[in-house]
Amino acid sequence: MIKAILIFNNHGKPRLSKFYEHYTEDTEQQIIRETFHLVSKRDENVCNFLEGGLLIGGSENKLIYRHYATLYFVFCVDSSESELGILDLIQVFVETLDKCFENVCELDLIFHMDKVHNILAEMVMGGMVLETNMSEIITQAEAHNKMEKSEAGIAGAPARAVSAVKNMNLPEMPKNINIGDISIKVPNLPSFK
Amino acid sequence: MRGLAVFISDIRNCKSKEAEIKRINKELANIRSKFKGDKALDGYSKKKYVCKLLFIFLLGHDIDFGHMEAVNLLSSNKYTEKQIGYLFISVLVNSNSELIRLINNAIKNDLSSRNPTFMCLALHCIANVGSREMAEAFAGEIPRILVAGDTMDSVKQSAALCLLRLYKTSPDLVLMGEWTSRVVHLLNDQHMGVVTAAISLITCLSQKNPDEFKTCVSLAVSRLSRIVSSASTDLQDYTYYFVPAPWLSCKLLRLLQCYPPPEDGAVKGRLVECLETILNKAQEPPKSKKVQHSNAKNAILFEAISLIIHYDSEPNLLVRACNQLGQFLQHRETNLRYLALESMCTLASSEFSHEAVKTHIETVINALKTERDVSVRQRAADLLYAMCDRSNAKQIVAEMLSYLETADYSIREEMVLKVAILAEKYAVDYSWYVDTILNLIRIAGDYVSEEVWYRVIQIVINRDDVQGYAAKTVFEALQAPACHENMVKVGGYILGEFGNLIAGDPRSSPLVQFNLLHSKFHLCSVPTRALLLSAYIKFINLFPETKSTIQEVLRSDSQIRNSDVELQQRAVEYLKLSSIASTDVLATVLEEMPPFPERESSILAKLKKKKGPGAVSVNELEEGKREGGELNGGGERGGDSSAIASTPSPSADLLGLRAGPPVTAAAPSAGSLLVDVFSEAGVNDDGFLRFVCKNNGVLFENQLLQIGIKSEYRQNLGRMYLFYGNKTSVQFVTFTTTVTCPGDTLVLEPLIEGGAQVQQVINIECLTDFSDAPLLNIKFRYGGALQNLTLKLPVTINKFFQPTEMASHDFFQRWKQLSLPQQEAQKIFKANHAMDTEVLKAKLLGLGMALLENVDPNPENFVCAGVIQTKAQQVGSLLRLEPNAQAQMYRLTVRSSKDTVSKRLCELLAEQF
C-alpha cells in the first residue's frame, strides 16, 4: 500500500502532499520535513530507495523517490509494493503531468494544485493503484477539463446556456457511447486472443 | 483563477515567515467573511476560495473552517463544484459526525446517479476518508456496484479499491457473500485497468480468507502466462517501454505469494514455465536503452524471484534465482544492487540455497566496504547477518567490527546488536566471544546497550573455562588511557568476581587491579560508581591485603558523604561490613555469583523490537536458543536423528541414539549459556520443573503444537511416551525430532510408533547419576516457515528412586554415617505455594522416595529415604524437609552417598514447594 505521496522542491517547500493514512496536520507537516531531510541529503546517482523516517513507520516502510530538476517526487510505501514498480509509477505520473501541462514545471504544480490532485486520483485511490495506463489517465483528465470548460461557459455566458447544457455531457460521452454494451472495449480487444 | 494566482504570487514574494503568516491570516479572514456573507457565491468563487484554502493547508497551516462550504459544493450538480468539494473533503478529512452524515447523503445521491464521473468522485471520497460511518453506510452497496453487469469499467475500478479500503478499515462490516466468487473472476476481465484495481482487492481478501479465494490461483496463473507470453505490442497501452503490463505482472506474482505452490500439476507446470520465461528474458538483450525499460523488466524479475523463494521447493529455479541475484550484486545500477542484496537475505534462509548464497560473501563484504550509499551498505550488513553460520562467523564478525569503526551513526546500534548476537550464537571458543564483545565496546561503546554488556557478564559467570581469560582481557583493556564507561562496568564486575584468577601475576596483583579500577572511578557516572563500590568490597573478600587501602577509599568524604544517596549508602554499609564481619561471614556474603538460570537472550528481542516484527523471524530466535543450548551442554549433537512425519511413517524404525561425549566435570550446569537475568523466566524450564514430582502431563504448548508426556520408571530403566498434537489445520512437513543427552549418563532410544496419532516412545536407561536433562529438539515446517524448538525432557535423577522404608533408629544411624560435608546439601528457601501438609506429602511421594512417618521428633518435619538405581551403582539418599510456617520458609537437607546427587536433588526440590 502507498502510505503517502509527497512532492517538494529542492528547498523542502511542499508542492503536493497526499496521505492515505490518517495523521494529524501537525504530524503530516513533520513527516514532510523529515522526509525532505532524509531524501535531500542523498547524493545523485545513489539508489532510489531508503527506509522510511520514524514518523511514518520506520523500517516497515520504504521511501521511493525520484529527483526531477527542482522537484522531488517521494512515494512512501509498505513492503507489499515492488520498489521498481513504484519507480515506474512515479515515471508514469510525471510523464502524465508533462503531457497534461505541456512541459510541466514547478509553477504548474503550484498554480494548478487541483488538477494535479485530479490526475493523481486517476492513478492512485486510497493508497492503491487504480490505473497505470498513461493514455487512459490522460483521456480521463482531458474529459474533466472539457467538462470544466463547458461549465465555465454556462456561468460566463447565460445566453449560450441552452446549447451548452445540450453539450455538457458530451466530453464524457465518448466513453459512454463506446460502451453502450460494456463488454465491448474496442481499443483493448486485440490483446485477448 | 486570477485571484488564486495573485494570492500564490503574494505568498511567494513574502520576504519573511512573519510576512507570510500575516498575508495568510489576511486571506483566511477574507475567505471567512466571504463564506459567511449574505451574498451567495457562485461556483467559480467558491472553487477559488477552496483552492486557496488547500494551498494554505499545504503550507502547513491548520484549516478549521470551510467544510460546510465544501459539502455544499459537493452536493452541487455541476462537475466543477462537486469535484472541488470532494477534493477539499478528501484532503482535509474531518471526523465530525454531523458533517460525515451530510457527506454521506451527497455520496448516496452520486452513487445512484448513474453518472460515471459522479460515481467515481463519490467512490474516491469514500476511499479517501474510509471512516467507520462511511463503512456502515456503504459496505453493502459497493460490492453490488462492483459486480453489477452494467457498471462501467472506470467505476468498477474505483469500486474495487473503495471496497478494499473499507475492508481494511472495518473488516467486520464487509460481509463476504455471493459477490466474492464474482470478484475473483474479475481477474479474467477484458479491461486491464479493472484487473489492475481488482487484484489489489483480491490480494488483500486472499490474505485474510485464503480458502475462500483459492480459485484465484489458477486464474492468476493463466492471466500471468498470457501477459508473459504476449509480444510487447499486444497489450497496447499497457505496454510500458516495451514491457507488457509490468505493474499487473508484479501484482499477479505478489498474489501468488499468498498461497503455497499450486497442487494442480497443469497449473503448476504453466506457472513454472512463466517463471522460467521471466528468468530467460533477463538474459536477452534489452529492447530499449532507456532505464525505464530495464526497470520494468527487473520489477517483474524480482517479484518472480520472490515467488520462487516463497515456494522454496524448486531447487532448479532457486539456483537460477540465486545466480541471477549474484549477477545483480555487481551491476552498475545501484538500485539493482540494493534489491539483489535484499532478496538474497530471504534466499539465505532457504536450505536449498543457503550454500549458494554463501559463495557471494566476498562480494557482499566488498559492498559493505565500498558502497557509497548507506541504504545499500545497510542491506549488505543485513545479508551478512543472514548468511552467517558457524563456518564463516569469524570472518563476518570481524568484517562487521571493522565496518563499525566507520559506520553511519544511524545504523550503529543495530550493527552492535547484530555483532553481539552472531558472536554469541556461533561462539566455538568463548575467549573469542569475550574478545569480540570487548572490541565492540571499544569501537562503539556508546551504542552498546545494557543488554549487551549484561550478557557478556552472564556468560563469563556461567562458564568457568573463560573466566580467567576474561579477567586478563578486561584488565588489559582497562590499561588504555581512555576507555568507555561500558568497559569500566564490565571490567569492574569481572575483576570483582574473578580478579583472583590473575592476581598471581605481579603485573596484575590485587593492588594494581584496584588502582587501575579506581583510576577510572572519578570519570564515571553514578550507576557505574555504585558498581565499582561493589567490586571494591568483593576485592576485600578476595584479597585481604587490599582491605586497608579500600577501607580508606570508602572512608573518604567523597564516598561516605557523597551527595548521592545510593553511593553514600553503599560506602557506609560496605565500610561497616568490612570492619565488623568475620572472614567467614564476609566470604559467605560476598561469595562468587552463582550461575544464572537459562533464559532466552533479550538482545534478540531488542533487535526484533528495533527492526519491527518480521525482521527477525521467530525461527531465528528459536534457532539462537538451540544453537546456544547445544554449545553449552558441551556435548555434540546426538548421533542419529529420528524423523517423524506428520503422516504415519510406514516403517516404524528403531533408531539407536547415543549421547555425545561426556562433559567435563567442571562444566557448570548445562544449558546455562543463554541466560539472562533480565528477561522473563524461560517457559521450557518451567515445564521441565513441573515434572519433578509427577510423570504425566503437558510438557509444552504454543499456538501450533502441544506435547504431552507419559512416563514410567522401574529400577534404572524408564520409558517415556511423547504425544505430539498439531493444533493447526495444516500439515506439518518434515517433522523431525532429535534427542540429545549431555554426558554419557543416560541411554535414550527413541522409537517411532506408526499410527494415526503421532506418538514417540523413548526408552531410557540410567547409566550413572546425572544432573543435566536431555534435550529434545523439534523441527518442522509450518506454512513454509521452519519451526525449531528445544525443550528439556523431564528426566531427572529422582525418577530412578527406589523407596526404602526404615525405622527411626535406622534412619538416624544412616544419617550419621553420611556425615562428610560434601555428602550433604542444604538449602533454605521461601515457600512458593501454600504450606499444606497433604500437598507436601503428595509431592514428596511423587518424588519417588519413601515418606517415613514417626521418624523425626518434630511432627512438622518430613523425612524420606530412597535408593537411586543406576547401572553403575546405587546411591542411597536421605532427605529432611523442615517447614517454618511462621516465616513461610523451608529448610531442605539432603544427604546421599554421592555428593553430586545430594546437590542435584536439593536444586530440583528447592523449586517445588
Side-chain angles (χ1 to χ4, degrees), chain B residues 15-251:
Chain B
K15 293 275 186 294
S16 65
K17 193 81 194 160
E18 289 71 31
E20 185 184 307
I21 291 173
K22 211 172 147 198
R23 179 68 186 89
I24 284 170
N25 284 337
K26 187 179 151 206
E27 193 61 39
L28 286 175
N30 173 36
I31 298 172
R32 225 183 280 253
S33 75
K34 284 284 194 298
F35 280 165
K36 284 214 182 108
D38 307 327
K39 214 173 103 225
L41 295 172
D42 57 15
Y44 171 80
S45 346
K46 280 191 201 158
K47 183 177 165 178
K48 179 177 74 189
Y49 294 130
V50 168
C51 281
K52 283 183 182 174
L53 289 179
L54 284 176
F55 185 76
I56 295 171
F57 178 75
L58 182 66
L59 291 179
H61 299 266
D62 281 1
I63 303 292
D64 53 2
F65 70 102
H67 293 88
M68 258 346 265
E69 286 69 24
V71 172
N72 284 336
L73 281 171
L74 62 82
S75 312
S76 152
N77 278 328
K78 283 189 192 154
Y79 165 75
T80 341
E81 298 186 1
K82 192 180 276 301
Q83 178 260 332
I84 203 81
Y86 273 128
L87 175 59
F88 183 93
I89 295 296
S90 0
V91 175
L92 288 146
V93 179
N94 189 306
S95 52
N96 177 340
S97 56
E98 186 68 24
L99 196 73
I100 296 276
R101 207 157 34 242
L102 289 172
I103 298 171
N104 277 359
N105 262 335
I107 291 177
K108 210 165 277 170
N109 288 335
D110 284 336
L111 285 185
S112 51
S113 70
R114 307 189 66 78
N115 175 333
T117 313
F118 288 6
M119 288 173 89
C120 283
L121 283 175
L123 290 167
H124 263 108
C125 181
I126 302 176
N128 273 317
V129 178
S131 70
R132 181 99 195 147
E133 285 107 322
M134 283 196 174
E136 276 163 4
F138 301 111
E141 173 73 11
I142 290 165
R144 244 197 319 278
I145 297 176
L146 176 59
V147 298
D150 57 349
T151 307
M152 298 201 12
D153 289 334
S154 61
V155 178
K156 259 192 207 170
Q157 282 172 272
S158 302
L161 293 185
C162 184
L163 183 60
L164 170 58
R165 176 61 194 244
L166 294 186
Y167 183 75
K168 276 187 182 163
T169 50
S170 322
D172 53 314
L173 293 176
V174 178
L175 303 170
M176 301 295 143
E178 45 161 38
W179 56 269
T180 46
S181 68
R182 301 184 59 182
V183 165
V184 174
H185 280 92
L186 288 176
L187 285 177
N188 267 339
D189 200 283
Q190 307 204 325
H191 190 279
M192 297 279 270
V194 173
V195 187
T196 304
I199 196 158
S200 294
L201 173 66
I202 295 167
T203 306
C204 178
L205 290 170
S206 310
Q207 279 162 350
K208 299 280 163 54
N209 326 279
D211 287 341
E212 272 174 80
F213 287 84
K214 225 166 27 197
T215 47
C216 72
V217 173
S218 61
L219 290 176
V221 169
S222 65
R223 188 93 214 193
L224 180 69
S225 121
R226 268 182 289 163
I227 296 174
V228 169
S229 57
S230 69
S232 58
T233 50
D234 279 359
L235 300 175
Q236 294 189 346
D237 291 340
Y238 286 89
T239 298
Y240 175 88
Y241 290 90
F242 306 102
V243 181
W247 179 270
L248 187 55
S249 309
C250 288
K251 286 289 171 183

Side-chain angles (χ1 to χ4, degrees), chain B residues 492-493 495-497 517 521 527-541 550 554 566-567 570-571 574 590:
Chain B
Y493 203 109
L495 291 182
E497 292 294 326
L517 276 181
F521 187 90
T528 310
R529 290 187 191 191
L531 188 153
L532 285 178
L533 288 180
S534 299
Y536 295 169
I537 187 75
K538 289 232 164 189
F539 266 50
I540 293 185
N541 175 44
I550 292 175
L554 292 174
E566 178 66 32
L567 293 183
R570 284 194 192 210
Y574 291 162
L590 302 171

Side-chain angles (χ1 to χ4, degrees), chain A residues 26-114:
Chain A
D26 239 20
T27 321
E28 289 187 0
Q29 290 299 323
Q30 282 171 22
I31 290 175
I32 296 174
R33 276 197 296 275
E34 187 187 41
T35 310
F36 170 70
H37 180 73
L38 285 170
V39 170
S40 62
K41 67 177 180 199
R42 294 170 61 79
D43 297 342
E44 296 292 326
N45 303 324
V46 296
C47 79
N48 298 89
F49 327 119
L50 65 153
E51 285 186 358
L54 292 177
L55 290 167
I56 203 150
S59 54
E60 293 288 280
N61 290 325
K62 278 213 173 91
L63 300 176
I64 296 167
Y65 74 99
R66 264 189 195 281
H67 191 192
Y68 295 91
T70 62
L71 291 175
Y72 285 97
F73 285 69
V74 187
F75 280 42
C76 177
V77 303
D78 67 11
S79 61
S80 70
E81 301 291 348
S82 147
E83 289 91 344
L84 292 173
I86 294 285
L87 268 189
D88 288 342
L89 195 67
I90 297 178
Q91 179 70 17
V92 169
F93 184 34
V94 174
E95 284 184 30
T96 310
L97 289 175
D98 199 51
K99 292 219 167 97
C100 289
F101 289 110
E102 287 161 14
N103 288 327
V104 67
C105 68
E106 192 179 342
L107 287 176
D108 291 319
L109 302 194
I110 300 173
F111 288 102
H112 303 283
M113 209 186 344
D114 54 327

